[in-house]
Structure formats: structure tokens, C-alpha cells
Amino acid sequence: MRLPIEPRHVAPRLATGAFILNSGLSKRGVDEETAAQVHGMAKNTYPFLEKVRPAAFVRLLSAGEITLGAALLLPAVPTVVAGAGLAAFSSALLGMYLRTPGMREEGSLRPTQEGLALAKDVWMLGVGVGFVVDELTRDRCRPGR
């Protein structure tokens, strides 16, 4: 019987899972002003979010982050599943970075001081994609398989 998690995945799953879980927990019960700020930034990048009330959006975001963080921390969740969730989530964050004016230096991918908070999420995309690729190619890369 094979475990759904490889020992080499433990450290990045713990690091990303704890980070995202903490982010989700910190969004529980935020005030209306904070919810409006978080929602405002998201809806500027993803206009379909305009239809969602700020408080509801932040509740959903919090629940999603808590779920993803827990999935990364729980070894029963296969790494390919947790990695796909992490890649999708971090892609949405990087989309905000790429589409929000003032986050990048003019004509560059380099972040401004304001963009640094979102640009740093590129590491989560790398971890998520790495998990998925590692899991999908694992059996092909082993001798005798």
C-alpha cells in the first residue's frame, strides 16, 4: 500500500499549508471596511466578482483558504490534488499581480513596493506545479517501472 504523500513533499506542504491556513483563519470575522478592501482589489482584477457582496466574498475566500491549507497539511490528501489546488489558487493571486496597475514596474515583471505582497506568491505556484508534475511523472521516472 502506497501512502498518498512522499517524504520529500512534507516540508513544502507544511510551509504552504500553514501559510494559507493562517491567511484563511485571519479573514474570519473581518469588519466591513476590510471586507470591502479585499473585495475591491479582487473585483478590479476579476469583474465577475462585482456581483458578490464583500462580506460574502471574504467568507468564501476564508473558507477556501482554510480548506486548501488543511488539504496541504493533511497527509491523507494526495499531493497531486493538493498541488492542483495550490497551483489554481496561486494563479489567481498572480493574476491580480499582473493585472492590477501599480503592482509592477513599468514594462517589467519586477514588482513595485506595493506589488511585492502579491509577487511573492509565485513561490506557491512553483510548489503547486512541482507537486503536480512530480506526481504525474513519478512512476515513469523510476527504474524498473
Side-chain angles (χ1 to χ4, degrees):
M1 181 171 131
R2 195 181 99 195
L3 293 176
I5 183 171
E6 294 287 329
R8 67 182 174 274
H9 297 157
V10 171
R13 282 183 69 152
L14 287 175
T16 55
F19 186 87
I20 295 169
L21 178 61
N22 180 63
S23 180
L25 291 172
S26 71
K27 287 181 181 73
R28 291 182 311 160
V30 297
D31 58 50
E32 286 294 322
E33 182 180 336
T34 303
Q37 289 173 344
V38 172
H39 180 255
M41 190 166 184
K43 75 178 181 179
N44 287 339
T45 303
Y46 301 107
F48 70 89
L49 293 174
E50 178 78 41
K51 298 174 185 173
V52 181
R53 290 187 356 267
F57 171 75
V58 173
R59 272 195 311 275
L60 289 169
L61 179 60
S62 173
E65 288 180 335
I66 290 168
T67 301
L68 178 57
L72 286 157
L73 292 170
L74 294 171
V77 176
T79 297
V80 70
V81 173
L86 180 59
F89 177 70
S90 58
S91 292
L93 294 173
L94 288 173
M96 288 178 59
Y97 169 70
L98 293 171
R99 295 178 185 153
T100 303
M103 296 289 121
R104 296 179 290 123
E105 292 181 6
E106 189 69 33
S108 172
L109 289 176
R110 293 182 59 197
T112 60
Q113 191 62 39
E114 295 79 24
L116 200 54
L118 286 173
K120 63 150 181 62
D121 293 331
V122 72
W123 66 273
M124 290 193 300
L125 179 60
V127 171
V129 170
F131 282 162
V132 172
V133 169
D134 188 53
E135 289 294 300
L136 293 178
T137 62
R138 177 169 57 184
D139 291 337
R140 283 187 243 149
C141 295
R142 292 200 178 146
R145 298 238 172 179

